[in-house]
Amino acid sequence: MPRFEGFVPGRFPLDAIGAGGFRFAGMSHKGSIIATPAGIRIWPVTRFAEVTIESLQPLLDEAGTIDFLLIGTGPDIAFIPPALRDPLKQAGITVEGMATGAAARTYNVLVGEDRRVAAALIAVD
């Protein structure tokens, strides 16, 4: 299976998560990802404490194509603070935080329904 090298354009469901990464579009990637309607990209975040509004900039850049953002917070649920939630809300994006596994499953359902969804997913083992 080819390795993912940074960005793959297009909208893809996630085929598998775990072992520190993800499989999608016939590729595998170790580490976290951001999936938007435009494509899937590497996200250099390894734990929720590293999530900043700057790390979420790719989502703000595509705000016109995203209604709903799922943040996969790792193995456990974490509260999405106003410093992250408010700028996204101002850009028209509703945010929901949940454990990465649940976020990935929900993302796949919403992609299957052709919803305007994005996901920022912290890799889990």
Side-chain angles (χ1 to χ4, degrees):
M1 177 172 294
R3 284 194 38 80
F4 173 60
E5 296 297 334
F7 180 76
V8 60
R11 192 150 182 201
F12 302 98
L14 303 173
D15 300 320
I17 69 161
F22 301 87
R23 280 199 327 243
F24 51 88
M27 294 179 266
S28 67
H29 171 67
K30 285 267 192 208
S32 303
I33 60 171
I34 288 180
T36 69
I40 298 177
R41 74 188 77 241
I42 290 172
W43 190 34
V45 169
T46 60
R47 56 193 177 87
F48 185 71
E50 297 172 7
V51 178
T52 64
I53 199 62
E54 292 80 17
S55 75
L56 297 173
Q57 188 62 47
L59 299 151
L60 291 169
D61 292 344
E62 293 183 44
T65 66
I66 300 167
D67 293 329
F68 194 64
L69 168 63
L70 301 163
I71 299 179
T73 57
D76 301 307
I77 295 173
F79 173 75
I80 308 300
L84 298 176
R85 186 180 300 276
D86 293 348
L88 291 160
K89 185 175 181 178
Q90 290 170 0
I93 301 172
T94 300
V95 181
E96 184 70 36
M98 55 187 76
T100 295
R105 289 187 296 277
T106 303
Y107 172 80
N108 280 346
V109 168
L110 295 175
V111 165
E113 294 175 353
D114 200 29
R115 302 276 298 274
R116 291 167 32 115
V117 64
L121 303 169
I122 296 172
V124 295
D125 288 327

